[in-house]
């Protein structure tokens, strides 16, 4: 999986949005764009208490979750962005694994990040 090791907040925000865009681009054809966005929205909602600066998205506004997330990164430190993004990604993949199974979720992630050396053993 892509490493979140940016040295500036702007780099961290860019890496975070690129990571999610990669996931959405790869997962949307497999599970549907709405499902990919709903999983993201669920991940956001599960981390509101720890990261109160993350956007709160109403269920009817699922299509606005990612743009709101991008905006929420403005003004945040590298550490905040990296910590929140790791938590969101962990939750997203856990929910995906619950829905489709760990093995298949691992295959999806490996395909989404095939260029990443950490996925060579999946």
């Amino acid at each position: 999986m892509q490493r979140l090791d940016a040295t500036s907040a702007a780099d961290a925000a860019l890496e975070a949005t690129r990571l999610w865009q990669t996931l959405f681009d790869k997962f949307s054809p497999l599970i549907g764009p709405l499902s990919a966005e709903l999983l993201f929205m669920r991940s956001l909602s599960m981390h509101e208490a720890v990261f109160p600066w993350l956007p709160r998205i109403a269920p009817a506004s699922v299509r606005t979750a990612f743009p709101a997330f991008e905006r929420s990164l403005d003004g945040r430190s590298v550490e905040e962005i990296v910590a929140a993004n790791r938590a969101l990604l962990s939750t997203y993949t856990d929910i995906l694994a619950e829905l489709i199974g760990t093995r298949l979720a691992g295959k999806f992630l490996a395909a989404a990040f095939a260029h990443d050396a950490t996925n060579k053993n999946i």
Side-chain angles (χ1 to χ4, degrees), residues 1 4 8 17 26 31-33 40-41 45-46 48-49 55 59-61 67 76 92 104 107 118:
M1 190 125 358
L4 298 173
S8 74
T17 56
K26 294 291 185 173
I31 63 173
F40 181 69
M41 191 177 83
S45 70
M46 292 179 72
E48 290 173 352
S61 303
R76 297 291 154 196
Y92 189 95
L104 187 55
K107 297 278 186 200
T118 60

Side-chain angles (χ1 to χ4, degrees), residues 10-48:
D11 288 344
L14 183 61
E15 286 182 23
T17 56
R18 282 183 182 162
L19 183 140
W20 287 105
Q21 206 54 58
T22 298
L23 276 179
F24 295 145
D25 290 349
K26 294 291 185 173
F27 287 11
S28 290
L30 299 170
I31 63 173
L34 184 59
S35 293
E37 291 173 13
L38 284 168
L39 288 176
F40 181 69
M41 191 177 83
R42 178 70 178 134
S43 298
L44 285 171
S45 70
M46 292 179 72
H47 293 285
E48 290 173 352

Side-chain angles (χ1 to χ4, degrees), residues 21-93:
Q21 206 54 58
T22 298
L23 276 179
F24 295 145
D25 290 349
K26 294 291 185 173
F27 287 11
S28 290
L30 299 170
I31 63 173
L34 184 59
S35 293
E37 291 173 13
L38 284 168
L39 288 176
F40 181 69
M41 191 177 83
R42 178 70 178 134
S43 298
L44 285 171
S45 70
M46 292 179 72
H47 293 285
E48 290 173 352
V50 177
F51 305 102
W53 51 269
L54 287 174
R56 286 171 173 70
I57 309 297
S61 303
V62 68
R63 301 270 183 202
T64 66
F66 186 67
F69 169 70
E70 286 181 295
R71 288 188 303 275
S72 76
L73 301 177
D74 290 341
R76 297 291 154 196
S77 70
V78 172
E79 295 78 16
E80 288 175 307
I81 294 169
V82 170
N85 208 48
R86 284 185 176 153
L88 292 171
L89 184 60
S90 178
T91 299
Y92 189 95
T93 56

